[in-house]
C-alpha cells in the first residue's frame, strides 16, 4: 500500500517539483513531521488486517507506514553474538509483519505535521487480530507443547550453556552441610528522566542521513543504520547531544527508532520521534527477570567449598540487537562465585523467549543478581553456623596479595582490595556499634536488620565483549587533543555524556597534562562527523578506555609542545616545563604562552623548520586485557514496621575501589546514584505483567521509582588500587553502586526477619512480601509462604 504524501510527483499533479523531489508549496510549510505509533494490544496474535483509510484522511497526516512497507526499506536483524555458540532468535523488523509477539510492539507508524495530529490519526487505525496463546512465565516456555513464539526456531530456547570447574560432586559429598535456595528477581527498567528520542533527516540527492538521537553509542548506531538501510556508512552522521540519563537503556536498537528512520527515507524530510512515558515502559528494554536455584557447600568453620546453580533468564520474544539478550545471564553465570575462594563450581544457564517486552543490558548487567544471590547465601550460612557475617567473609575473601587471581568461573581479577574494602567498611560504619544498637532496638521490640555485601564489578571491556561476536561495537576509543591559536584546548572524544561528568573528568586530565586551567578546555563528544571512532559509553568503560586514550593523547601533545617550545626558546626539550598556560625553561624567566606557540605553528611555521607544524595529537586505546575489575563493600541497616511490612533504610555505607580516581566528587555521585537505583530494584521497582502478558505498570504512579524521601544519607568511602594493565590505572565507577545495593538490602531485611523464622528470596522486597513473611515465617523450601490472615504476628516464635 502506497505511502500518503510520497515525495514522488504523480503525472496528474500540477504542482512543481524542486530538484530534491519535493513539491514547491511543501517548502513554505514546516518540513518536520512527527511520528506516532499504533502498538499491539495483544501479547501474541496474528495480524488479520489493517484498515488505514480513516487515518490517511485525518488532518495533518503526511504518511502512514505498515510493516511490509518498512521491511522494503530495512533489512531484518537478529541479536545473535557468534561467540555464544548455538544461540538463536527470531528476526526483528521496524514494524510487525503478520504477527505481534508482545504488548507494545509497533504495528503502524503515522507521520503528521504535529504530534497531536499524529496521535489522533493513530487512534483511527483499525487492526484486526487473531489472538494466539501467549507464553508469559519462563517455566511455561519450555514445557512440551508450549506455544512457539517463532515457529521456524523449533522451540523457545534462545541459548543454553554450562560452566563447570573442579570436582563438584566430591566437594558436595564431603561438605559439612549444603544450603539450597531459589531466588527470583523481578524485571525492572531504567526510567531515565529524558526518554529515548530522535530526529532523522534524509537527503535523497546524496543519500545522506543525519540522525540526532538520545544514545550512548553514536558510532554503533552509525554502523547499524547504514547496514540495515543499505546506506554508505560515511553518509550516515549520528549526533548524540547531552543525554538526560541512559543507564544502558540507550545502547540498543529499537523497532520504533528504525521505523522513524524508515519514514525519513521514504519521505525525504525530517522525522521526529519521542515516546510518551507509557510508551517508554512498553518499549524500552527491561532487565533482571531471572530465577537462580543455588546450592552452596561449606565446612563447619564456614569455609565455602562448592557451588551449584541453575539460572533461567526470560528475555522477551526477541534477543535485543546487536548486543543480544544473553549477556546478562552469562554475567550471572560467571560472577556467582563472587570475590570468594570457591573450590568447585557447576552452573547452567538457559535463556528463554516469552511474550513480554525485550530484556537486555541495563546498568550493572547481571552483577546485582549474582551479588544478591551469593551474598544472601553467605549470610544464611553464617547465621546457621553461628558466625558473624563479617567474619564469614574474612574466611573466604580473596586476599589482597593473591592478585591476579583466577576465579573458579574463569574470571581473572587483575587487582583489588577485597579484604581491605570490607575492613574499611566495618570501621567507617562502626559495625560493632551498629550490632550493639541493633540488640538494644530488638530488646525494645523493634525489627531491625544489618546486611553486608561484597562485590566485584567487571569494567572497561575491550573487543572480547562484543566485537568478537560480530557486533559493530568498538572495543577501543579515540581522543584528539588540539591546542588552539588562542591557547585554549579542544578535546574530541568517542565517549558520550549522559550526565555522569565525562566532559569534566576528561577536561581535568587534559588540564593537568598541559598545565592549563579546566576552563580553557572544551570537550566535544557524541558526533560521528567530528570525533574519533569509539565505542561510546557502556560497561563502565569511560575512564578505563576513553580516559586512558585522553591521558595518552595529552601526553603526546605535551611532548610535541615541549619540543616546539624548546626550538623557539633555544633550550633543551628536557628543560621545558608546561604550567600556568605557559612553556618555560626551568631555572630561567624565559617562556612562551601556549597560545603564542600555537600561533607560531599555525601562522609562522617557517620558524620551526624540521618539525611537524602541528599542535594536535590523536591516540586510540583499548584495554589490553579482557576487562578490569572494580570492587567494593556495602552495609545497609533497615527497620521493618511489623504491622505493615514496610521497610525503611536507616543507614547506608559504601566503600568503592575504582582504581585511580580523576574526580572523587564525580565518583561519589556515581556510587550514590547507583545505590539509589539498586535500592529501587531491591525494594520497589517491578515491571508487572498479568497472566495474559499485559504490562500493568506503565506510569510512574504504578512503577515505583524511589524518591529522595525513600533514601537515607548514603555515606561513600574510597580506596584506590590502580588497574595494572590500564594506562591511567583507572577502573570503572558507574555500576558498583547498583551491583552491591540489592545484596546489602536483601541481607538486612533477612537479618531483621531471622528472629521471626522468615527469609525472603524474591525481589523486589515489597511490603506485601515482608508482611506475608512475618505472618507465616519461612516456608520449607525457603520461599515466602502465602499470607494467612488468621496468623498473629505477635505470637510468632523463631523455630
Amino acid at each position: 500500500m502506497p505511502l500518503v504524501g510520497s515525495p514522488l510527483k504523480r503525472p496528474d499533479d500540477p504542482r512543481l517539483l524542486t530538484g530534491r523531489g519535493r513539491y514547491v508549496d511543501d517548502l513554505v510549510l514546516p518540513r518536520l513531521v512527527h511520528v506516532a505509533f499504533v502498538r499491539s494490544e495483544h501479547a501474541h496474535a496474528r495480524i488479520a488486517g489493517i484498515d488505514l483509510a480513516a487515518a490517511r484522511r485525518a488532518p495533518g497526516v503526511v504518511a502512514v507506514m505498515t510493516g511490509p512497507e518498512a521491511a522494503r526499506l530495512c533489512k531484518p536483524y537478529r541479536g545473535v553474538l557468534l561467540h555464544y555458540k548455538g544461540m538463536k532468535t527470531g528476526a526483528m523488523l521496524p514494524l510487525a509483519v503478520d504477527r505481534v509477539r508482545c504488548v507494545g510492539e509497533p504495528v503502524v507508524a503515522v507521520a503528521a505535521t504535529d504530534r497531536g495530529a499524529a496521535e489522533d490519526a493513530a487512534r483511527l487505525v483499525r487492526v484486526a487480530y487473531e489472538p494466539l496463546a501467549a507464553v508469559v512465565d519462563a517455566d511455561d516456555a519450555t514445557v512440551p507443547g508450549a506455544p512457539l513464539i517463532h515457529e521456524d526456531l523449533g522451540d523457545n530456547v534462545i541459548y543454553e550453556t554450562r560452566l563447570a570447574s573442579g570436582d563438584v560432586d566430591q566437594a558436595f559429598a564431603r561438605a559439612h552441610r549444603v544450603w539450597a535456595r531459589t531466588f527470583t528477581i523481578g524485571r525492572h527498567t531504567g526510567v531515565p528522566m529524558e526518554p529515548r528520542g530522535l530526529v532523522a533527516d534524509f537527503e535523497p540527492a546524496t543519500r545522506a542521513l543525519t540522525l540526532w538521537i538520545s544514545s550512548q553509542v553514536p558510532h554503533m548506531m552509525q554502523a547499524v543504520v547504514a547496514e540495515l538501510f543499505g546506506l554508505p556508512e560515511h553518509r550516515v552522521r549520528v549526533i548524540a547531544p547531552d543525554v538526560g540519563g541512559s543507564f544502558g537503556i540507550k545502547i540498543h536498537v529499537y523497532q520504533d527508532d528504525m521505523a522513524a528512520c524508515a519514514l525519513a527515507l521514504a519521505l525525504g524530510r525530517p522525522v521526529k520521534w519521542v515516546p510518551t512515558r507509557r510508551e517508554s515502559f512498553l518499549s524500552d528494554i527491561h532487565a533482571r527477570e531471572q530465577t537462580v536455584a543455588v546450592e552452596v557447600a561449606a565446612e563447619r568453620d564456614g569455609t565455602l567449598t562448592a557451588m551449584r546453580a541453575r539460572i533461567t533468564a526470560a528475555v522477551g520474544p526477541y534477543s535485543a540487537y546487536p548486543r543480544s539478550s544473553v549477556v546478562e545471564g552469562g554475567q550471572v553465570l560467571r560472577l556467582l562465585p563472587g570475590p570468594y575462594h570457591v573450590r568447585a563450581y557447576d552452573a547452567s544457564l538457559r535463556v528463554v523467549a516469552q511474550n513480554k517486552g525485550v530484556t537486555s543490558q541495563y546498568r550493572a548487567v547481571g552483577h546485582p543478581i549474582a551479588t544478591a544471590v551469593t551474598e544472601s547465601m553467605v549470610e544464611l550460612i553464617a547465621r546457621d553456623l553461628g558466625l558473624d557475617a563479617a567474619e564469614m567473609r574474612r574466611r573466604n575473601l580473596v586476599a589482597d596479595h593473591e592478585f591476579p587471581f583466577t576465579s573458579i568461573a574463569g574470571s581473572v581479577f587483575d587487582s583489588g582490595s577485597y579484604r581491605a574494602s570490607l575492613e574499611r567498611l566495618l570501621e567507617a560504619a562502626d559495625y560493632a556499634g551498629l550490632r550493639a544498637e541493633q540488640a538494644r532496638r530488638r530488646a525494645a521490640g523493634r525489627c531491625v536488620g544489618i546486611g553486608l555485601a561484597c562485590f566485584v564489578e567487571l569494567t572497561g571491556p575491550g573487543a572480547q565483549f562484543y566485537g568478537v561476536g560480530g557486533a559493530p561495537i568498538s572495543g577501543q576509543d579515540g581522543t584528539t587533543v588540539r591546542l588552539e591559536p588562542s591557547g585554549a584546548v579542544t578535546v574530541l572524544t568517542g565517549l558520550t555524556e549522559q550526565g555522569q561528568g565525562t566532559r569534566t573528568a576528561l577536561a581535568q586530565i587534559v588540564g593537568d597534562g598541559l598545565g592549563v586551567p579546566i576552563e580553557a578546555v572544551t570537550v566535544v563528544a557524541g558526533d560521528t562527523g567530528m570525533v574519533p571512532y569509539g565505542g561510546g559509553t557502556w560497561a563502565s568503560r569511560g575512564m578505563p578506555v576513553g580516559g586512558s586514550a585522553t591521558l595518552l593523547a595529552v601526553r603526546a601533545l605535551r611532548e610535541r609542545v615541549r619540543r616546539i617550545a624548546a626550538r623557539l626558546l633555544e633550550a633543551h626539550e628536557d628543560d621545558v616545563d608546561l604550567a600556568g598556560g605557559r612553556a618555560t625553561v626551568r631555572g630561567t624567566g624565559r617562556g612562551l604562552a601556549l597560545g603564542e606557540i600555537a600561533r607560531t605553528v599555525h601562522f609562522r611555521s617557517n620558524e620551526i623548520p624540521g618539525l611537524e607544524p602541528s599542535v594536535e595529537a590523536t591516540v586510540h586505546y583499548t584495554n589490553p586485557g579482557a576487562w578490569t575489575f572494580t570492587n567494593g563493600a556495602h552495609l545497609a541497616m533497615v527497620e521493618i514496621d511489623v504491622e505493615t511490612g514496610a521497610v525503611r533504610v536507616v543507614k547506608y555505607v559504601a566503600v568503592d575501589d575504582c582504581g585511580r580516581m580523576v574526580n572523587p566528587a564525580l565518583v561519589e555521585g556515581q556510587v550514590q546514584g547507583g545505590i539509589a537505583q539498586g535500592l529501587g530494584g531491591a525494594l520497589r521497582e517491578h515491571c508487572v505483567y498479568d497472566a495474559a502478558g499485559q504490562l500493568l505498570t506503565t506510569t510512574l504512579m504504578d512503577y515505583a521509582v524511589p524518591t529522595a524521601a525513600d533514601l537515607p544519607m548514603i555515606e561513600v568511602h574510597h580506596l584506590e588500587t590502580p588497574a595494572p594493565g590500564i594506562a591511567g590505572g583507572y577502573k570503572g565507577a558507574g555500576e558498583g553502586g547498583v551491583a552491591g545495593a540489592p545484596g546489602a538490602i536483601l541481607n538486612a531485611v533477612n537479618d531483621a526477619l531471622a528472629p521471626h523464622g522468615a527469609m525472603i528470596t524474591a525481589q523486589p522486597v515489597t511490603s506485601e512480601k515482608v508482611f506475608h513473611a512475618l505472618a507465616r515465617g519461612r516456608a520449607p523450601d525457603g520461599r515466602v509462604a502465602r499470607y494467612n490472615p488468621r496468623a498473629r504476628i505477635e505470637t510468632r516464635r523463631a523455630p
Side-chain angles (χ1 to χ4, degrees), residues 467-762:
V468 297
I473 301 168
S474 179
Q476 62 82 43
D477 245 284
T479 299
T480 296
V481 184
R482 182 171 65 234
L483 181 61
E484 305 291 356
S486 65
V489 182
T490 299
V491 180
L492 308 176
T493 176
L495 299 178
T496 52
E497 176 67 78
Q498 287 86 50
Q500 72 273 45
T502 293
R503 284 193 175 93
T504 300
L506 297 186
Q508 285 184 256
I509 293 172
V510 171
D512 289 348
L514 292 180
V516 300
I518 191 173
E519 295 81 8
V521 182
T522 298
V523 179
V524 178
D527 186 343
T528 62
M530 296 182 64
V531 303
Y533 205 94
T537 301
W538 46 273
S540 297
R541 67 188 298 277
M543 283 301 102
V545 181
S548 292
T550 302
L551 178 68
L552 295 178
V554 76
R555 285 177 180 172
L557 179 56
R558 178 185 178 89
E559 295 311 304
R560 177 167 289 178
V561 170
R562 291 177 64 217
R563 193 175 307 120
I564 294 169
R567 175 71 62 85
L568 295 174
L569 293 168
E570 298 181 339
H572 194 280
E573 180 181 337
D574 292 343
D575 294 330
V576 176
D577 292 329
L578 302 186
R582 295 176 59 80
T584 58
V585 179
R586 193 179 306 118
T588 74
R590 295 186 302 124
L592 293 169
L594 295 185
E596 188 174 350
I597 295 171
R599 287 191 293 274
T600 299
V601 170
H602 286 297
F603 310 138
R604 303 187 304 279
S605 55
N606 59 299
E607 297 181 18
I608 51 169
L611 295 179
E612 181 183 358
S614 170
V615 279
E616 179 178 302
T618 298
V619 169
H620 288 260
Y621 182 81
T622 190
N623 188 337
W627 35 67
T628 184
F629 279 90
T630 290
N631 70 272
H634 289 191
L635 177 147
M637 185 175 189
V638 305
E639 183 162 359
I640 295 173
D641 183 337
V642 296
E643 298 297 329
T644 65
V647 177
R648 182 169 66 94
V649 184
V650 298
K651 188 177 182 67
Y652 205 101
V653 183
V655 173
D656 191 81
D657 186 343
C658 64
R660 184 168 288 121
M661 290 187 291
V662 175
N663 186 316
L666 291 178
V667 172
E668 186 162 331
Q670 283 292 294
V671 174
Q672 290 175 330
I675 289 169
Q677 206 160 12
L679 263 60
L683 294 172
R684 299 167 62 89
E685 299 180 44
H686 194 191
C687 297
V688 180
Y689 285 80
D690 68 12
Q694 293 288 335
L695 181 61
L696 304 180
T697 49
T698 58
T699 74
L700 291 172
M701 292 292 289
D702 309 307
Y703 186 89
V705 176
T707 68
D710 302 310
L711 304 173
M713 291 297 295
I714 299 172
E715 185 181 330
V716 180
H717 301 267
H718 305 286
L719 295 177
E720 292 185 79
T721 306
I726 298 295
Y730 314 127
K731 300 178 181 181
E735 297 169 293
V738 189
I745 292 295
L746 188 58
N747 279 338
V749 169
N750 282 327
D751 186 50
L753 295 178
H756 300 268
M759 180 178 181
I760 291 177
T761 59

Side-chain angles (χ1 to χ4, degrees), residues 181 183 376 380 750 753 757-761 778 782-784:
R181 290 291 184 274
F183 294 82
S376 293
L380 170 64
N750 282 327
L753 295 178
M759 180 178 181
I760 291 177
T761 59
R778 185 171 57 201
R783 290 178 176 268
V784 177

Side-chain angles (χ1 to χ4, degrees), residues 241-259:
D242 285 0
V243 174
S246 52
F247 315 120
I249 297 298
K250 299 171 183 177
I251 59 173
H252 307 284
V253 175
Y254 290 90
Q255 291 173 280
D256 42 29
D257 287 347
M258 295 303 98

Side-chain angles (χ1 to χ4, degrees), residues 307-378:
M307 177 183 284
R308 288 194 186 108
R310 296 189 312 278
I311 306 159
T312 303
V315 300
Y318 306 100
S319 174
Y321 183 79
R323 295 169 188 266
S324 89
S325 295
V326 305
V327 172
E328 183 173 56
Q331 293 276 73
V332 176
L333 182 74
R334 289 188 294 271
L335 293 170
L336 266 179
Y340 299 110
H341 279 285
V342 177
R343 279 70 177 175
Y345 181 60
D346 187 356
S348 64
L349 167 66
R350 171 175 281 191
V351 181
V352 300
Q354 58 180 166
N355 294 115
K356 293 183 181 179
V358 174
T359 77
S360 192
Q361 283 78 304
Y362 162 55
R363 192 177 189 181
V365 185
H367 294 72
I369 300 171
T371 301
V373 169
T374 300
E375 293 301 296
S376 293
M377 296 303 291
V378 166

